[in-house]
Amino acid sequence: MNINKLRINLAKARMNKGLSAYELSLRLGKNPTYISKVENGDNLSIKVLFEICEILEIEPKTLFED
């Protein structure tokens, strides 16, 4: 699994949905900088990954595709 690909795809999916990292963090009930930190290298739990996918209305596999 390529973590960098996940981070890139997360940012793309978030922007395609028209959400800032700040907005997505708040929708998750997290610290306002949470998504920015994830996109820049912090850890991401599977539970939160699925929550993000639900908010972005995407399948989790989308974040791992080339």
Side-chain angles (χ1 to χ4, degrees):
M1 173 176 64
N2 185 341
I3 294 298
N4 288 328
K5 180 56 76 175
L6 180 140
R7 292 182 185 125
I8 291 166
N9 287 342
L10 171 57
K12 286 180 184 177
R14 176 181 56 73
M15 287 185 275
N16 286 341
K17 192 69 174 172
L19 292 173
S20 68
Y22 177 85
E23 291 170 315
L24 182 53
S25 295
L26 294 182
R27 286 192 187 190
L28 288 167
K30 302 286 186 185
N31 180 296
T33 62
Y34 180 79
I35 292 297
S36 291
K37 289 179 181 180
V38 168
E39 289 177 355
N40 288 301
D42 274 9
N43 292 329
L44 173 67
S45 73
I46 296 295
K47 178 182 183 276
V48 175
L49 174 77
F50 281 100
E51 291 172 1
I52 290 169
C53 290
E54 187 174 320
I55 291 168
L56 298 178
E57 299 176 331
I58 60 172
E59 293 292 323
K61 69 178 184 173
T62 304
L63 298 177
F64 299 96
E65 295 173 341
D66 287 327

